[in-house]
Amino acid sequence: MLIAPSMLSCDFSKMGAETEKMDKAGADWIHLDVMDGHFVPNITFGAPVIKWIRPFTKLPFDVHLMISDPLKYVDDFADAGADYIVFHVECESDIEKTIDKIHSKNIKAGLAVKPKTPAEAVFPYLHKVELALVMTVEPGFGGQSYMAENIEKIAKIKAEAKRLGKDILCQVDGGINDKTIAHAYQGGADVCVAGTAVFKAEDSRKAIDNLKELCK
Ligand code: DX5
Ligand code: ZN
C-alpha cells in the first residue's frame, strides 16, 4: 500500500518543514488538497504554495483539485511541480480536454468521484487516466468518518479497467486510519490518503509504518 499524507492536516505556518517531515517519516506521495470555496465549501491553497514547498522533497506531488474549473488551472499546477493532477468527474470543465491538457504537460491524470457519484461516471474516461480516486468522505474537510460503502466502487472500476486492458491505480481518500485501512486494502486500494491519522499521531513514522503493516 502506498501512503499519501494529506497536507491539509499539517501546520500551514511551516508547510515546507512539514513536507520534509513526511518524507523522513516514510510517506510515498505527498497529497495536496486544493479547494476553491465553490466546488466544496472550504478554501485551502493554490499553485504558488505548492511551488514553494516543491524543493522540500523529491516525493511525487499528488494534487487533488476540488475546484469547479480545473482545466483553467492545469498549467499553474503543472508549473508548480505536480506529478499527478487528480480532478473531479463532477466538475464543470470538459473532462477529456482536462485529461489531455494534463498529459500535454507530461503529468499523470486522475479522476475522482464523490460519495454520491456512481463508479460508472468515470467509465467513459478510464482508458485515458492513470488513477481513479474514490472518496470515502464528502470532499471539503479533513477529520471526517470513513464511508465504507464507497469501497465497492474500486472493484467496479478495476473490472472495467481490466476489460479495457488498462492498468490504473485506485486511490482512497477520507477517514483512513488504523481501523479503516485494512478494509480499503481488501477492497483493492493501491494508494491511501491519510491526513488526521498521520499528522495528529504522536509519531508520524510509526503511524505510517503501522498503516502499511495493516495492509499485509
Ligand atoms: C477531503 C480531502 C482529504 C482529507 C483527508 O476533502 O480530500 O484528502 O484531507 O483527511 P483525513 O485523512 O483526515 O480524512
Ligand atoms: Zn484529498
Side-chain angles (χ1 to χ4, degrees):
M1 177 70 75
L2 297 176
I3 301 293
S6 163
M7 301 309 289
L8 187 59
S9 297
C10 84
D11 178 341
F12 281 0
S13 72
K14 46 178 185 182
M15 222 171 153
E18 293 275 75
T19 304
E20 210 170 3
K21 183 177 150 191
M22 287 303 120
D23 183 325
K24 295 208 173 95
D28 296 293
W29 294 3
I30 300 294
H31 186 82
L32 295 150
D33 287 306
V34 176
M35 306 186 189
D36 65 355
H38 186 258
F39 184 76
V40 288
N42 193 10
I43 300 175
T44 55
F45 48 80
V49 171
I50 293 175
K51 195 169 194 162
W52 272 101
I53 62 170
R54 185 60 277 193
F56 286 82
T57 179
K58 289 194 166 63
L59 291 176
F61 269 15
D62 157 33
V63 178
H64 178 193
L65 297 181
M66 286 159 276
I67 66 177
S68 295
D69 191 5
L71 178 56
K72 194 170 162 189
Y73 298 97
V74 169
D75 277 324
D76 290 354
F77 288 102
D79 297 343
D83 296 280
Y84 283 83
I85 293 183
V86 183
F87 66 101
H88 276 262
V89 72
E90 306 89 353
C91 75
E92 287 162 18
S93 302
D94 183 285
I95 306 288
E96 296 223 28
K97 274 191 194 151
T98 308
I99 295 169
D100 291 344
K101 178 84 187 178
I102 294 168
H103 285 157
S104 78
K105 306 294 282 187
N106 277 323
I107 291 172
K108 296 193 173 78
L111 255 189
V113 281
K114 297 207 271 184
K116 290 191 188 79
T117 305
E120 288 76 9
V122 301
F123 284 8
Y125 315 104
L126 265 192
H127 64 289
K128 295 189 92 160
V129 295
E130 286 73 41
L131 179 144
L133 166 55
V134 171
M135 293 296 304
T136 39
V137 297
E138 280 298 336
F141 301 92
Q144 304 182 76
S145 305
Y146 180 76
M147 297 160 77
E149 62 278 12
N150 289 282
I151 294 299
E152 292 165 14
K153 293 177 195 174
I154 297 176
K156 292 185 183 171
I157 291 169
K158 289 219 157 166
E160 177 64 7
K162 195 173 174 194
R163 196 183 71 78
L164 298 167
K166 172 98 194 176
D167 213 9
I168 69 156
L169 288 173
C170 275
Q171 183 177 45
V172 173
D173 185 7
I176 289 291
N177 57 39
D178 54 358
K179 312 231 167 11
T180 58
I181 196 164
H183 182 262
Y185 170 66
Q186 281 151 18
D190 304 295
V191 189
C192 275
V193 176
T196 312
V198 170
F199 279 98
K200 306 295 176 220
E202 224 165 273
D203 182 333
S204 297
R205 169 165 273 285
K206 275 193 192 150
I208 293 174
D209 281 351
N210 188 39
L211 290 174
K212 284 177 176 271
E213 196 58 39
L214 290 162
C215 300
K216 280 180 183 158

